[in-house]
Amino acid sequence: MGLFSELKLAVPWGHIAVKIWGSQKNPPVLCLHGWLDNANSFDRLIPLLPQDFCYVAMDFGGHGLSSHYNPGLPYYHQNFVSEVRRVATAFKWNQFSLMGHSFGGSVGGMFACMFPEMVDKLILLDSTPFLLDFNEMENILTYKRRHIEQVLQVEASQKPPRAYSSEDLLQKLLSQNSHLNKDSGELLLQRGARKTAEGLVLNRDRRISLPENSFDFVSKELFVQATRRLQARVLMIKALQGFYDVRRVNDKHKEPLLFMVDTLRSILKERYQFVEVPGSHYVHMNTPRVVAGVISSFLQCLPPLSSSRL
């Protein structure tokens, strides 16, 4: 399935860039990338999925080819949730499916709970529908403070963005993310960087720093209440060598994930499917065939190919 088109959807601060595969007459699947990634995150997976759907991969604001937010406007988690609503409005979707990787899954999860009637299927790629405050209560105010300070620091800086050679920029990306292989890193940089006279410059907004600065952490009580609002069927794919926490220092503490899996299973029952697959956090890019089958079956409402418990 080849790329159908690229569009720029108008928003008050500029545009949201999207890539579209398939006919817009087909049921839509909106694809949400991870933190600091872009719509190219789905280039290898979507061609392996059923062709009787329309797949739309968006660049979040400040990412990829989408406009940066206006000066003085920070990037908050709910802003990204609002962008999903704007895209749905632009395409005049009354109901659609969501597929999100990492940060994109948490954005999609919050949207599906806030607008439950609009989402029929939610696919979480090494992601959870929310982040719990399980290990983070003492840190949340620190994150919020750091977010404000980061924005003010970038606004005060007059330095132009740093330019790199293509090889140096790729090595920088791979050194910062050991879960990406070389081909996947190159694919993300095709959309995530632009050529200048000095070399390649990253497209992303420098006001975006660490993901925990802009995530919304929720309590266990709120997670339970939000899950009860879900009308969607939910597929959670967990990469065995992936991430378990937004902060790597907590990555060995799996209690939050266990709580979410048990809660989703208890409340959603047959509408919830949990699958573990071999691979890293970027399994959907590095080895997309590992997840393509289970996603295809889920989209087509076929019996699960496989399922497992933590």
Side-chain angles (χ1 to χ4, degrees):
M1 179 164 46
L3 178 62
F4 181 76
S5 61
E6 293 227 24
L7 292 177
K8 292 182 178 180
L9 308 177
V11 291
W13 64 90
H15 66 266
I16 294 174
V18 301
K19 302 176 69 169
I20 304 172
W21 290 261
S23 170
Q24 293 188 43
K25 296 179 181 179
N26 292 336
V29 180
L30 181 60
C31 306
L32 309 177
H33 63 76
W35 190 253
L36 303 184
D37 296 338
N38 54 64
N40 280 12
S41 180
F42 298 96
D43 276 18
R44 294 205 175 99
L45 174 61
I46 288 175
L48 303 177
L49 300 181
Q51 298 189 20
D52 49 351
F53 291 87
C54 176
Y55 301 93
V56 178
M58 64 180 285
D59 291 328
F60 285 126
H63 295 71
L65 301 181
S66 286
S67 299
H68 295 187
Y69 283 10
N70 291 332
L73 179 62
Y75 292 86
Y76 292 123
H77 193 264
Q78 188 160 324
N79 296 144
F80 298 114
V81 179
S82 177
E83 289 181 23
V84 173
R85 187 66 175 85
R86 290 180 183 275
V87 170
T89 299
F91 283 104
K92 299 180 179 179
W93 294 337
N94 294 319
Q95 192 175 68
F96 57 102
S97 298
L98 279 170
M99 177 165 60
H101 169 242
S102 194
F103 174 78
S106 295
V107 172
M110 181 169 283
F111 182 90
C113 292
M114 292 175 65
F115 299 91
E117 75 285 357
M118 296 189 69
V119 182
D120 61 349
K121 302 181 190 75
L122 175 64
I123 301 168
L124 304 169
L125 297 171
D126 209 42
S127 180
T128 56
F130 289 94
L131 290 186
L132 295 186
D133 61 21
F134 213 91
N135 302 311
E136 298 292 356
M137 280 300 294
E138 64 188 50
N139 300 316
I140 290 175
L141 291 181
T142 299
Y143 296 154
K144 292 182 181 298
R145 170 177 173 160
R146 194 169 62 189
H147 190 189
I148 292 171
E149 291 175 337
Q150 167 75 5
V151 171
L152 295 177
Q153 180 182 351
V154 172
E155 289 177 351
S157 173
Q158 300 300 315
K159 292 182 180 179
R162 182 176 174 181
Y164 300 84
S165 69
S166 58
E167 183 59 30
D168 286 348
L169 187 55
L170 177 61
Q171 291 307 314
K172 175 181 172 64
L173 176 64
L174 297 180
S175 68
Q176 293 174 341
N177 196 331
S178 61
H179 289 236
L180 274 174
N181 65 25
K182 182 175 181 289
D183 290 342
S184 296
E186 289 175 342
L187 186 57
L188 288 176
L189 288 179
Q190 285 176 15
R191 194 175 183 90
R194 65 186 185 277
K195 291 182 179 180
T196 68
E198 292 75 27
L200 286 177
V201 172
L202 290 171
N203 287 336
R204 65 177 181 243
D205 196 322
R206 287 186 290 173
R207 288 174 290 175
I208 302 170
S209 55
L210 297 173
E212 61 263 32
N213 291 6
S214 296
F215 267 114
D216 279 344
F217 291 89
V218 304
S219 66
K220 291 189 288 185
E221 293 78 11
L222 180 54
F223 179 78
V224 171
Q225 292 301 319
T227 300
R228 287 175 177 159
R229 287 176 55 89
L230 274 173
Q231 296 179 20
R233 295 172 60 237
V234 178
L235 169 63
M236 182 184 289
I237 298 177
K238 182 73 195 76
L240 288 170
Q241 291 79 44
F243 293 143
Y244 286 86
D245 199 282
V246 65
R247 275 208 318 147
R248 304 302 167 243
V249 68
N250 289 328
D251 210 38
K252 294 182 180 179
H253 302 301
K254 299 181 182 180
E255 293 90 345
L257 178 64
L258 290 167
F259 175 82
M260 284 187 276
V261 169
D262 288 344
T263 300
L264 288 162
R265 184 178 286 131
S266 173
I267 293 175
L268 300 183
K269 296 181 170 53
E270 69 278 357
R271 288 192 288 126
Y272 176 68
Q273 183 183 355
F274 177 81
V275 178
E276 290 182 311
V277 298
S280 72
H281 188 54
Y282 283 85
V283 62
H284 70 299
M285 292 191 72
N286 296 338
T287 52
R289 293 188 182 277
V290 171
V291 297
V294 66
I295 294 172
S296 297
S297 296
F298 182 79
L299 285 173
Q300 295 176 316
C301 299
L302 299 175
L305 291 179
S306 60
S307 185
S308 60
R309 302 177 66 94
L310 284 174

